[in-house]
Amino acid sequence: MLAAIRKHLARIAVAALALLLLGSLALNVVIVQDLRVNAEPTPARSDFVAGKCSAPSLVGHWRFESLPDAVGDMAIDDSGYSNHARLEVARLPLSRLRYSPPAQAAGIDGRAVEVSGRQWLGAGNSDCFTTERFTVAVWIWLDEVGNVPTIVGKSAWPHNGWWLMTTTRGIQADDRYLDLGVAWPGGTAHVQSGYQVPLREWHHVVVTVDNLQREVQFFVDGKLVSRHTDVPRWHVNWDHELVIGDYDGSARWPWIGRIDDLRFYNHVLSEADCVALYRAEDIGLNTPPQKESRIQAIAPAS
């Protein structure tokens, strides 16, 4: 009798263990599936906010002097329009899941944000950025080529918009060339600056874009390097937010390096103003003067 009871209890234990293992496997499958769903390369649409910006001005200015250390935290926008940039991270399959906030690194003046291909900042989707005329000014430091490193953009494949990037050999003819991608439903084009970005050096980039006049200008370190007057007309992206350090918030085309003192103007600056930004001069357009010139800080890494 005792032997029969022991045999019965053993069967119950085996069955319970089997159920436990099956439950664990099912839970792991759900977790992996959830992570893979989160890894979907096309990001969700962002709600559009109208009426936030009306006059031509500096509408986004991120110095990165203080950085968020958790998902959802904000990098402060000093433009006065409160376009604070929210930290996001890549959600990858379980076998590749690695999370770390962006690092604080030495910038051109104070601190900079350093991203490594798994983090980016989203500054929202408002009429501050849904404009056909704009200027982007930024200090960049490229650590490695990666896969089409994108500095900032308002686009999402296969939708419309624009993105400021450097090229990658294989995808394009050569790597590290400063480039502005533009897109419309069913088509894309690349506006080439002709300037190859060196690795591990600070350089100042200003790009003016006028979609109505079909004009794009590239300035590097206070000098006009190219002007284009026949740019294909692209469609403004109303569906996704402005993304810093990545193409569209999918971690497909990330910047790998540092970004500092990023400014977004909702109009086209003059050539004199573009040069003045490199010299850290106040150009009188809601641009706080800097505490000192930063030109002396530019030097190749030792």
Side-chain angles (χ1 to χ4, degrees):
M1 182 69 177
L2 185 60
I5 293 174
R6 287 176 177 173
K7 189 174 182 179
H8 182 67
L9 289 175
R11 287 175 179 171
I12 293 174
V14 169
L17 181 59
L19 288 173
L20 182 62
L21 288 173
L22 286 173
S24 178
L25 286 172
L27 179 60
N28 284 334
V29 168
V30 169
I31 291 172
V32 171
Q33 285 179 341
D34 181 61
L35 288 168
R36 289 189 180 278
V37 167
N38 286 333
E40 172 63 38
T42 301
R45 290 187 172 190
S46 304
D47 292 335
F48 175 72
V49 178
K52 192 171 184 180
C53 299
S54 56
S57 184
L58 173 67
V59 297
H61 187 189
W62 303 275
R63 300 175 185 270
F64 306 115
E65 290 303 304
S66 60
L67 291 177
D69 57 8
V71 174
D73 284 357
M74 300 290 182
I76 300 301
D77 165 32
D78 289 326
S79 72
Y81 285 89
S82 299
N83 290 312
H84 308 308
R86 182 187 66 258
L87 171 65
E88 298 287 356
V89 297
R91 295 175 174 88
L92 299 172
L94 188 61
S95 61
R96 297 172 54 216
L97 184 62
R98 295 178 297 171
Y99 163 70
S100 61
Q104 283 191 328
I108 196 67
D109 180 15
R111 297 175 178 177
V113 61
E114 184 172 32
V115 290
S116 58
R118 300 187 298 275
Q119 319 92 352
W120 62 89
L121 296 153
N125 178 21
S126 74
D127 55 4
C128 297
F129 309 125
T130 48
T131 171
E132 297 196 85
R133 292 187 170 112
F134 64 89
T135 301
V136 171
V138 61
W139 286 91
I140 60 170
W141 171 292
L142 182 61
D143 271 325
E144 57 184 88
V145 174
N147 181 28
V148 192
T150 303
I151 304 162
V152 59
K154 195 176 192 303
S155 185
W157 179 262
H159 304 289
N160 41 354
W162 60 269
W163 59 102
L164 178 61
M165 52 172 279
T166 64
T167 58
T168 301
R169 185 179 302 162
I171 295 177
Q172 296 185 32
D174 210 339
D175 59 19
R176 294 189 286 110
Y177 276 88
L178 189 65
D179 182 293
L180 180 76
V182 294
W184 55 95
T188 61
H190 287 272
V191 186
Q192 302 177 14
S193 70
Y195 176 79
Q196 190 174 33
V197 178
L199 290 175
R200 291 175 285 280
E201 295 179 12
W202 280 113
H203 291 279
H204 189 249
V205 170
V206 181
V207 181
T208 69
V209 181
D210 190 332
N211 195 32
L212 301 179
Q213 297 297 323
R214 300 178 59 193
E215 294 180 351
V216 170
Q217 299 180 105
F218 293 91
F219 296 81
V220 177
D221 295 338
K223 296 179 181 179
L224 176 66
V225 296
S226 64
R227 177 183 286 120
H228 302 264
T229 58
D230 57 351
V231 177
R233 284 189 174 168
W234 45 275
H235 287 189
V236 173
N237 186 296
W238 297 82
D239 299 325
H240 299 85
E241 63 182 348
L242 185 81
V243 175
I244 302 167
D246 189 44
Y247 167 69
D248 61 359
S250 63
R252 277 181 302 187
W253 295 344
W255 186 255
I256 302 177
R258 306 176 198 176
I259 297 173
D260 198 9
D261 196 26
L262 173 60
R263 305 177 187 218
F264 188 98
Y265 296 84
N266 62 351
H267 61 105
V268 173
L269 294 183
S270 68
E271 182 172 343
D273 286 339
C274 292
V275 173
L277 285 177
Y278 168 69
R279 297 173 180 166
E281 297 173 357
D282 181 4
I283 63 174
L285 291 168
N286 194 24
T287 309
Q290 301 300 307
K291 57 188 177 184
E292 59 182 337
S293 174
R294 295 162 296 183
I295 299 176
Q296 61 187 9
I298 303 170
S302 57

